């Protein structure tokens, strides 16, 4: 076995692209896309260069334990008993809620499930969360409460049937390239594209209409569109009457959101808003695609609700080509949520308050009933109520808001265990570092943004003594006396399926033949690509009126996002030489007019300052941002954008307002 | 020399060759043709050409040039071993790409690893009797027939193959399975190839190298490039692309790797000062095509496009289409 090709699923964003890893002597030498959907032969640069990091010599190979300022290598048995004993000590002294687990959106479903089980059954706390808290928690809340399921309503391919695609708060070409491929295919087949974004992104360039609103004014804009749709008689009255509740209030209250009123708030000409509304309202099947530009706000849940109101009013749900498409940022952030790595849910969104007995019976342990903390709440009580933490494959020291506060929170813990594939800013603060197998080194399943459960397959051996995290979690469970006996990740999936109605028919054997969209309740069920064809799980879908919130009053609003060539904190992509060359350092996009008034030229070093902190970066003059708006990616430890962001939380979903921050900007040395 | 070989006997012929070579052949992996070490699986010779071009087995997208080990301030180096390989099912388009790469990579100073791999690899080519929709090898003069550059050549005649030898190594290989072979002639093959050529030409009767070259500067690359996401996919599947970058990974021990690069990426062109002569995607697209159609031709005497159609199969924007030159 010298040259092999193993089909698996890409590790980066949530598109879930199938690809082949070409392997020679346990090294990945090339990557090619799968011809099956959603990739259909397409990959982004990150995907094509996926051979760049798995075999990197920086990989963590041995378990490490801190001794003073240094780390020493140790064995798995020693490190796992140490972790178990330390957690047990904290639990005895301060109670189980002094412990917390953050799982990984890069780990498989099986791994998330076992960590969830470890947290609840062994540690005895509901303090568990995952990075969804920082990306799609508002989606989970708003879509869940108004439609019944907090996830994408249609598969990506469904966009090919759309007559109109409205994209809001999503830099689709850069962040979900394969979704943009379907958008562009739809456009080539005659679909209209409306983009609403404070930045003139590539997808905005090719759109029929681009509404370049002020950052954070999405609700005013969406409400104004609904206002016009209602006034022009473009609503789907039959759909509203037979399948929804609460329209009347929305109808009355969006009346004040005239395009003219919205123009004053959003800075988008009323006429353009009117045109967009007519274009959307008159389309047969219209889709709304959104991402972090909608969710990462202190009113993220309301933002999503404004989208739901628009889709419900026009009856754009339950058919091919229609629907709501929240784009997930991680390979398995959907799965991490599905697996109950959330403080208030078990697997498949079974509420802790309702289903505790079921899981107690199955796992044969008593489970905690106390209210669990969300990610930011866990961080804010670190060092006080929270004393021990297990972080799986996350780098909160760089990815969470207000980095300096996060760092001191992590430093104040009695025990911090971090499992990862590379050393990161967070492993550097850990008491114990666990070396984990990467996506290419283990079997398991991941669930993409379109609710599609797919296999990842082992292509190469993990480096050194690194282990798949499901093995680590299973061993810890055993130390805690929870009988595990899992001999494979397929066995873990059998347990998940038995406990989770929406995953009931999913097994590794079935997935060998291709991915399945949940809900898939039985072995015979084909899966459910399109939700709500025949109705809503909660009976009738719910309108809820939402109002535009106050916007930041600073002179400059900084938008934080990603570059297409890097992923999150760069622990993988910055180790891929070509990606690192493409975007080697942080940049701040500054409108040329602002730059002129500030004495900034292309490439000038600038200082950005907010209430939380100060950083330096290099200015890039670009008219993709309007005057008063700045944009910066958060991948770079040298210019950590999240030093600037704050902990202002959305009241419903507890997502922090990562997307926009009021800042001041000045020339370095000025 | 020409022989007939029963289809059922091809695996046996390969099994005998496997005493001397590692056999690399296209097989279906989860339904898609891939080049892998052959372990007796059904061969996928009738399937579309695998996306990973066989030329990439000589110049892998990621390869270790050497590993370095530091001990007491002294470095020792280790160079990877190269295996004796037989690649089965190489199509004429890829064969042509390989001879183009030979002219580039083997011209002095020859690339050491490429040349080692080239010398230790034998090739069983496959005439293209079933071209794909995206194929235009006939227009580019690289197919559907193979004329040189192979050790053995297979042509699918339906019930059996025509096996032709193209080198002394090929004759040796054929001798290993002498009793499976029957003296043959190429009358049937000639008819089949004529038919295949007709099919490819009639799908795009307007297409020619001259037309592509003359159209190059007329195309509105700016509007064409609006949907290009600069993924580099066209380069990563092109059988004649051979640009790479080099990086040292790891300190104090580690490896020097070579990694396939793409001129579609902006950073490829950026200079140390930060200035970039090809900052815009339309400039890079034009230069990609110029490289294929003009520069390679003048440098190596062959156009850099062999009409394999892989770039169209992976393009996001629908931009890499021969329709561009219509």
């Amino acid at each position: 076995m010298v040259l092999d090709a193993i089909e698996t699923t890409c590790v980066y964003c949530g598109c879930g692209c199938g690809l082949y890893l070409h392997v020679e002597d346990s090294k990945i030498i090339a990557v090619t896309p799968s011809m099956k959907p959603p990739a259909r032969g397409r990959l982004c640069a990150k995907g094509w260069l996926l051979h760049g990091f798995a075999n990197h010599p920086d990989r963590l190979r041995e378990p490490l334990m801190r001794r003073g300022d240094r780390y020493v290598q140790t064995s798995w048995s020693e490190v796992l008993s140490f972790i178990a004993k330390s957690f047990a000590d904290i639990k005895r002294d301060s109670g189980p809620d002094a412990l917390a687990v953050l799982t990984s959106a890069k780990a498989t479903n099986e791994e998330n499930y076992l960590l969830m089980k470890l947290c609840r059954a062994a540690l005895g706390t509901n303090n568990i969360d995952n990075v969804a808290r920082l990306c799609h928690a508002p989606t989970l809340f708003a879509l869940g409460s108004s439609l019944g399921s907090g996830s994408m309503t249609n598969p990506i391919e469904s966009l090919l049937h759309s007559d109109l695609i409205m994209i809001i708060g999503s830099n689709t070409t850069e962040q979900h390239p394969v979704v943009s491929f379907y958008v562009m295919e739809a456009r080539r087949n005659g679909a209209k594209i409306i983009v609403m974004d404070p930045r003139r992104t590539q997808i905005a360039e090719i759109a029929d209409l681009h509404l370049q609103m002020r950052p954070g004014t999405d609700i005013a804009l969406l409400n104004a569109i609904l206002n016009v749709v209602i006034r022009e008689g473009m609503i789907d009255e039959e759909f509203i009457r037979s399948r929804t509740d609460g329209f009347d209030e929305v109808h009355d209250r969006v009346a004040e959101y005239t395009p003219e009123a919205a123009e004053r708030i959003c800075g988008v000409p009323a006429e353009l808003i009117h045109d967009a509304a007519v274009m959307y309202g008159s389309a047969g099947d219209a889709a709304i695609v959104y991402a972090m530009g909608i969710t990462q706000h202190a009113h993220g849940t309301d933002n999503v609700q404004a989208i739901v109101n628009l889709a419900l009013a026009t009856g754009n749900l339950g058919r091919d080509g229609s629907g709501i498409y929240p784009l997930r940022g991680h390979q398995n952030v959907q799965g991490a949520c599905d697996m109950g790595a959330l403080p208030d849910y078990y697997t498949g969104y079974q509420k802790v308050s309702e289903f505790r007995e079921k899981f107690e019976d199955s796992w044969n342990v008593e489970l905690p009933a106390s209210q669990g903390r969300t990610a930011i709440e866990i961080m804010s009580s670190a060092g006080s109520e929270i004393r021990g933490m297990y972080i799986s494959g996350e780098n909160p020291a760089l990815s969470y808001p207000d980095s300096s506060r996060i760092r001191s929170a992590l430093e104040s813990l009695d025990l911090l265990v971090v499992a990862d594939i590379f050393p990161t800013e967070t492993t550097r603060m850990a008491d114990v570092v666990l070396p984990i197998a990467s996506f290419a080194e283990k079997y398991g399943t991941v669930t993409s943004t379109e609710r599609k459960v797919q296999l990842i397959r082992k292509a190469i051996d993990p480096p050194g003594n690194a282990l798949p995290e499901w093995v680590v979690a299973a061993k810890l469970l055993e130390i805690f006396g929870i009988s595990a006996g899992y001999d494979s990740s397929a066995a873990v999936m059998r347990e998940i399926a038995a406990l989770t109605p929406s995953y009931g028919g999913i097994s590794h054997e079935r997935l060998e033949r291709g991915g399945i969209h949940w809900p898939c309740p039985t072995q015979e069920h084909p899966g459910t690509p399109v939700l709500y064809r025949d109705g809503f799980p909660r009976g009738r879908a719910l309108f809820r009126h939402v109002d535009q919130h106050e916007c930041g009053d600073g002179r400059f609003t900084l938008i934080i996002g990603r570059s297409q060539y890097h992923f999150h904190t760069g622990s993988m992509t910055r180790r891929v030489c070509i990606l690192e060359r493409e975007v080697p350092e942080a940049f701040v996009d500054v409108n040329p007019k602002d730059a002129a008034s500030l004495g900034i030229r292309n490439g000038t070093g600038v200082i950005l300052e907010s209430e939380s902190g100060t950083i330096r970066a290099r200015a890039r003059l670009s008219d993709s941002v309007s005057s008063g708006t700045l944009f910066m990616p958060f991948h770079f430890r040298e210019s950590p954008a999240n030093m600037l962001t704050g902990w202002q939380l959305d009241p419903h979903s507890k997502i922090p307002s990562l997307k926009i921050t009021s800042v001041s900007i000045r020339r370095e040395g000025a | 020399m020409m022989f007939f070989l029963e289809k059922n006997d091809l695996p046996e012929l390969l099994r005998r060759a496997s005493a001397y070579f590692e056999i690399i052949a296209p097989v279906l992996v989860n339904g898609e043709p891939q080049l892998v070490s052959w372990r007796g699986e059904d061969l996928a010779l009738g399937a579309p050409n695998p996306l990973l071009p066989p030329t990439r087995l000589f110049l892998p997208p990621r390869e270790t040039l050497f590993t370095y080990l530091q001990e007491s301030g002294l470095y020792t180096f280790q160079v990877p071993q190269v295996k004796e390989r037989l690649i089965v099912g190489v199509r004429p388009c890829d064969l042509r790409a390989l001879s183009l790469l030979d002219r580039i990579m083997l011209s002095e100073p020859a690339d050491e690893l490429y040349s080692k791999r080239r010398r230790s690899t034998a090739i069983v080519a496959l005439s293209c009797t079933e071209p794909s929709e995206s194929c235009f090898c006939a227009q580019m003069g690289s197919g559907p027939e193979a004329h040189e550059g192979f050790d053995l050549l297979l042509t699918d005649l339906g019930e059996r193959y025509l096996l032709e030898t193209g080198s002394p190594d090929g004759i040796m290989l054929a001798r290993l399975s002498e009793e499976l072979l029957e003296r043959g002639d190429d009358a049937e093959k000639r008819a089949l190839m004529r038919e295949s050529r007709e099919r490819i030409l009639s799908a795009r009767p307007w297409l020619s190298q001259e037309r592509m070259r003359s159209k190059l500067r007329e195309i509105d690359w700016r509007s064409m490039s609006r949907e290009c996401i600069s993924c580099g996919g066209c380069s990563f599947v092109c059988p004649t692309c051979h640009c790479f970058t080099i990086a040292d990974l790891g300190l104090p021990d580690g490896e020097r790797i070579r990694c396939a690069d793409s001129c579609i990426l902006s950073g490829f062109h950026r200079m140390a000062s930060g200035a970039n002569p090809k900052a815009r995607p339309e400039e890079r697209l034009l230069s990609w095509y110029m490289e294929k159609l003009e520069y390679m031709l003048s440098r190596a005497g062959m156009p850099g496009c062999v009409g394999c159609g892989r770039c169209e199969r992976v393009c996001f924007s629908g931009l890499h289409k021969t329709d561009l030159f219509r």
Side-chain angles (χ1 to χ4, degrees):
Chain A
M1 245 179 39
V2 187
L3 180 72
D4 218 336
I6 289 102
E7 191 182 30
T8 189
T9 309
C10 180
V11 75
Y12 289 118
C13 78
C15 288
C17 299
L19 48 83
Y20 286 83
L21 298 178
H22 299 266
V23 173
E24 196 177 348
D25 297 334
S26 208
K27 287 203 167 172
I28 304 171
I29 61 157
V31 176
T32 53
S34 157
M35 298 309 286
K36 306 176 188 85
R40 293 216 321 201
R42 274 78 187 175
L43 288 178
C44 67
K46 294 192 293 289
W48 284 109
L49 296 169
L50 205 46
H51 49 69
F53 73 84
N55 296 108
H56 198 285
D58 284 355
R59 284 288 302 277
L60 293 168
R61 295 163 177 271
E62 307 293 336
L64 303 173
M65 279 167 80
R66 182 187 287 282
R67 294 263 190 278
D69 292 338
R70 300 183 50 214
Y71 284 105
V72 292
Q73 285 189 11
T74 178
S75 69
W76 275 106
S77 61
E78 192 181 335
V79 80
L80 293 179
S81 345
F82 173 77
I83 294 170
K85 182 174 176 308
S86 308
F87 278 150
D89 288 349
I90 294 174
K91 185 175 168 183
R92 190 190 57 230
D93 298 343
S94 311
D97 288 338
L99 300 171
V101 175
L102 295 177
T103 74
S104 173
K106 288 274 170 278
T108 60
N109 286 321
E110 292 78 3
E111 292 169 330
N112 272 284
Y113 172 78
L114 288 187
L115 287 173
M116 187 275 287
K117 187 171 178 181
L118 178 76
C119 183
R120 292 192 157 116
L123 306 184
T125 177
N126 285 318
N127 290 339
I128 180 167
D129 211 349
N130 75 84
V131 76
R133 192 64 54 195
L134 273 65
C135 58
H136 272 297
T139 298
L140 199 55
F141 190 93
L143 296 191
S145 62
S146 51
L147 305 179
S149 179
S151 50
M152 202 151 128
T153 63
N154 292 47
I156 302 172
E157 276 186 286
S158 191
L159 291 171
L160 296 177
H161 305 282
S162 301
D163 301 306
L164 178 134
I165 302 170
M166 179 187 276
I167 300 172
I168 179 162
S170 157
N171 181 3
T172 326
T173 32
E174 293 204 35
Q175 300 314 326
H176 297 89
V178 158
V179 173
S180 78
F181 166 66
Y182 286 86
V183 172
M184 293 190 287
E185 280 278 287
R187 176 175 170 267
R188 288 189 276 271
N189 297 333
K192 296 269 186 237
I193 313 291
I194 302 174
V195 172
M196 305 198 270
D197 202 303
R199 299 168 63 205
R200 193 155 177 85
T201 55
Q202 187 176 10
I203 197 88
E205 288 276 351
I206 59 173
D208 295 278
L209 295 178
H210 175 207
L211 281 58
Q212 195 167 10
M213 72 285 215
R214 291 191 190 105
T217 61
D218 313 76
I219 294 178
L221 190 56
L222 289 161
N223 278 356
I225 288 173
L226 183 54
N227 173 301
V228 176
V229 167
I230 292 172
R231 265 195 319 189
E232 302 274 334
M234 292 168 147
I235 55 172
D236 186 339
E237 283 173 19
E238 168 57 25
F239 186 92
I240 293 170
R241 193 171 47 244
S242 62
R243 296 182 63 176
T244 70
D245 283 330
F247 178 66
D248 292 345
E249 198 208 341
V250 170
H251 175 274
D252 296 345
R253 292 186 57 190
V254 296
E256 63 185 86
Y257 286 90
T258 59
E260 292 71 25
E263 176 175 345
R264 287 190 290 277
I265 300 170
C266 314
V268 179
E271 206 175 306
L272 198 54
I273 299 176
H274 184 269
D275 291 350
V278 170
M279 202 182 263
Y280 176 80
S282 58
D285 290 307
I288 305 180
V289 174
Y290 72 91
M292 301 296 92
I294 280 292
T295 57
Q296 285 179 329
H297 293 276
H299 46 268
T301 305
D302 286 356
N303 280 354
V304 178
Q305 186 65 45
I307 288 173
V308 174
N309 290 347
L310 197 52
L312 285 177
T314 50
N316 272 309
L317 283 167
R319 297 187 311 273
D320 289 318
S322 71
I324 300 175
Y325 300 70
L327 304 181
R328 297 275 183 163
H330 274 280
Q331 172 200 38
N332 196 34
V333 67
Q334 178 70 51
C337 294
D338 297 348
M339 291 303 109
L342 296 167
D344 39 357
Y345 292 104
Y346 299 118
T347 58
Y349 309 98
Q350 301 175 85
K351 278 210 164 88
V352 167
S353 51
E354 288 171 40
F355 290 88
R356 190 154 54 90
E357 240 172 75
K358 168 179 170 182
F359 282 80
E360 283 180 336
D361 289 347
S362 163
W363 293 345
N364 207 17
V365 283
E366 204 175 308
L367 293 174
S370 59
Q371 174 79 38
R373 288 183 163 92
T374 62
I376 298 295
E377 292 169 333
I378 288 171
M379 288 297 174
S380 66
S381 38
S384 51
E385 288 110 70
I386 303 263
R387 294 178 52 208
M389 205 184 289
Y390 182 108
I391 298 180
S392 155
E394 267 210 63
N395 189 9
L398 213 53
S399 62
Y400 276 42
D402 198 347
S403 311
S404 28
R405 215 166 140 189
I406 293 290
R407 283 172 202 223
S408 53
L410 293 175
E411 262 163 15
S412 62
L413 292 167
D414 293 334
L415 179 73
L416 174 60
V417 180
V418 180
D420 214 315
I421 64 170
F422 282 116
T424 66
E425 289 65 33
T426 306
T427 61
R428 238 158 263 155
M429 315 182 72
D431 301 291
V432 176
V433 180
L434 303 178
I436 295 300
S438 80
F439 83 108
E441 297 148 6
K442 62 190 176 191
Y443 291 97
T445 65
V446 290
T447 307
S448 69
T449 188
E450 50 176 345
R451 291 175 286 105
K452 193 176 190 182
V453 190
Q454 306 187 98
L455 282 182
I456 60 165
R457 294 184 179 88
K458 183 177 169 176
I460 55 175
D461 291 323
N465 279 315
L467 284 177
E469 204 166 11
W470 70 264
V471 175
V472 177
K475 285 182 185 210
L476 278 172
L477 277 167
E478 262 169 47
I479 297 177
F480 276 98
I482 315 278
S483 68
Y486 305 108
D487 57 358
S488 65
S489 100
V492 182
M493 182 45 82
R494 281 195 284 278
E495 183 172 316
I496 297 168
L499 281 166
T500 315
S502 54
Y503 277 66
I506 287 173
S507 65
H508 285 211
E509 295 72 34
R510 264 190 90 180
L511 294 175
E512 280 291 345
R513 299 191 294 275
I516 301 171
H517 298 266
W518 67 254
C520 173
T522 62
Q523 278 289 340
E524 297 70 40
H525 195 284
T528 315
V530 179
L531 293 178
Y532 317 132
R533 273 197 197 277
D534 315 307
F536 296 98
R538 60 180 311 285
R540 295 165 74 82
L542 207 59
F543 280 95
R544 181 171 69 84
H545 175 71
V546 285
D547 276 316
Q548 174 63 43
H549 297 246
E550 285 286 313
C551 283
D553 48 6
R555 165 77 179 83
F556 284 97
T557 304
L558 173 69
I559 301 177
I560 289 176
R562 306 194 299 206
S563 145
Q564 77 177 103
Y565 293 109
H566 283 294
F567 195 81
H568 285 235
T569 65
S571 58
M572 295 176 287
T573 50
R574 294 199 70 191
R575 288 185 169 90
V576 179
C577 54
I578 291 181
L579 296 175
E580 177 67 356
R581 177 199 66 200
E582 282 308 296
V583 185
E585 60 174 0
F587 56 85
V588 187
D589 281 341
V590 185
N591 183 279
K593 267 189 237 145
D594 292 338
S597 69
L598 293 163
I600 293 168
R601 290 161 55 176
N602 204 22
T604 306
V606 293
I607 305 291
L608 295 172
E609 196 165 352
S610 77
E611 280 178 15
S612 307
T614 307
I615 59 166
R616 179 205 177 270
R618 209 185 279 279
R620 189 171 83 170
L621 267 51
S622 165
D623 48 17
S624 66
V625 288
S626 316
S627 179
T629 306
L630 307 168
F631 171 81
M632 178 175 188
F634 68 90
H635 315 293
F636 300 89
R637 77 185 80 85
E638 307 89 326
S639 308
N642 277 317
M643 292 287 275
L644 303 173
T645 48
W647 282 15
Q648 200 191 354
L649 302 187
D650 173 38
H652 304 286
S653 67
K654 308 289 168 66
I655 192 172
S657 166
L658 283 157
K659 186 52 73 185
I660 54 175
T661 309
S662 285
V663 296
S664 67
I665 179 171
R666 63 173 193 275
R667 185 158 49 87
E668 198 176 22
Chain B
M1 281 186 273
M2 290 181 200
F3 306 97
F4 292 126
L5 170 70
E6 290 302 312
K7 276 195 165 170
N8 292 338
D9 289 335
L10 179 59
E12 179 54 29
L13 182 140
L14 295 180
R15 242 188 305 279
R16 292 183 192 181
S18 71
Y20 305 89
F21 295 100
E22 179 201 0
I23 312 284
I24 307 288
V27 304
L28 292 182
V29 180
N30 300 324
E32 298 182 37
Q34 302 291 348
L35 286 172
V36 296
S37 296
W38 182 68
R39 283 151 282 182
E41 303 96 326
D42 288 343
L43 295 164
L45 293 173
N49 212 355
L51 265 187
L52 186 75
T55 49
R56 281 295 175 191
L57 298 180
F58 301 90
L59 188 64
R62 185 206 192 272
E63 64 176 323
T64 304
L65 295 178
F66 55 82
T67 54
Y68 47 88
L69 202 74
Q70 193 257 130
E71 231 173 330
S72 316
L74 282 181
Y75 276 96
T76 48
F77 303 92
Q78 205 173 12
V79 180
Q81 294 294 311
V82 165
K83 300 166 202 85
E84 304 278 313
R85 275 179 163 169
L86 176 72
I87 309 179
V88 182
V90 179
R91 316 271 177 127
C93 53
D94 292 332
L95 215 50
R96 172 63 67 92
L98 200 55
S99 56
L100 173 62
L101 285 188
D102 285 349
R103 294 190 187 187
I104 295 166
M105 303 298 287
L106 299 180
S107 65
E108 288 301 325
D111 186 275
E112 202 176 323
L113 264 174
Y114 179 90
S115 112
K116 271 194 203 167
R117 291 203 180 93
R118 199 66 182 90
R119 279 200 306 267
S120 56
T121 307
I123 288 174
V124 179
L126 177 74
S127 306
C128 240
T129 46
E130 292 287 340
S132 300
E133 249 174 71
S134 53
C135 292
F136 53 101
C137 57
Q139 287 88 334
M140 302 312 289
S142 57
E145 260 178 290
H147 299 290
E148 56 183 4
F150 53 82
D151 297 288
L152 289 174
L153 171 66
L154 291 167
T155 306
D156 188 340
L157 304 177
E159 294 293 301
R160 56 187 179 177
Y161 290 112
L162 179 71
L163 182 77
E164 295 168 78
T165 57
S167 74
D169 278 358
I171 296 172
M172 295 283 285
L173 272 170
R175 285 222 178 110
L176 289 175
S177 301
E178 222 159 5
E179 83 279 12
L180 304 176
L181 305 175
E182 184 189 323
R183 280 266 162 203
D185 64 77
D186 65 353
E188 203 177 337
K189 172 190 165 183
R190 280 206 303 262
L192 275 172
M193 294 324 296
R194 224 176 4 253
E195 208 176 290
S196 175
R197 168 176 297 274
E198 288 296 300
R199 192 134 45 110
I200 299 168
L201 288 174
S202 64
R204 295 169 180 83
W206 44 269
L207 188 66
S208 68
Q209 288 181 50
E210 293 66 37
R211 182 170 186 90
M212 287 172 87
R213 272 200 296 280
S214 66
K215 269 272 189 180
L216 260 184
R217 295 199 178 271
E218 293 170 28
I219 293 166
D220 178 5
W221 293 104
R222 177 164 224 161
S223 67
M224 287 309 302
S225 70
R226 288 168 74 208
E227 293 184 14
C228 174
I229 68 157
S230 302
C231 64
C234 47
S235 297
F236 297 133
V237 293
C238 178
T240 72
C241 269
H242 54 277
C243 288
F244 55 79
T245 192
I246 285 178
D248 289 348
L249 304 182
L251 278 172
D253 307 333
E255 56 180 1
R256 176 165 293 178
I257 63 155
R258 168 153 75 178
C259 186
D261 207 339
S262 166
C263 59
I264 289 294
L265 302 174
S266 162
F268 182 94
H269 303 274
R270 195 181 60 234
M271 295 187 251
S273 66
N276 193 331
K278 296 203 165 60
R280 304 187 64 89
E282 65 262 31
E283 296 160 341
R284 300 197 292 273
L285 273 167
L286 174 59
S287 88
W288 193 87
Y289 275 103
M290 289 295 283
E291 174 70 18
K292 299 287 166 208
L293 298 171
E294 298 273 9
Y295 305 148
M296 280 194 191
L297 187 67
S298 63
R299 204 162 67 234
M302 294 178 176
C305 176
V306 295
C308 71
R310 285 189 178 93
C311 51
E312 182 184 333
R313 288 159 71 191
V314 302
C315 185
F316 264 86
S317 56
L319 186 152
H320 287 295
K321 274 205 167 98
T322 45
D323 274 357
L324 205 59
F325 299 96
R326 204 159 179 155

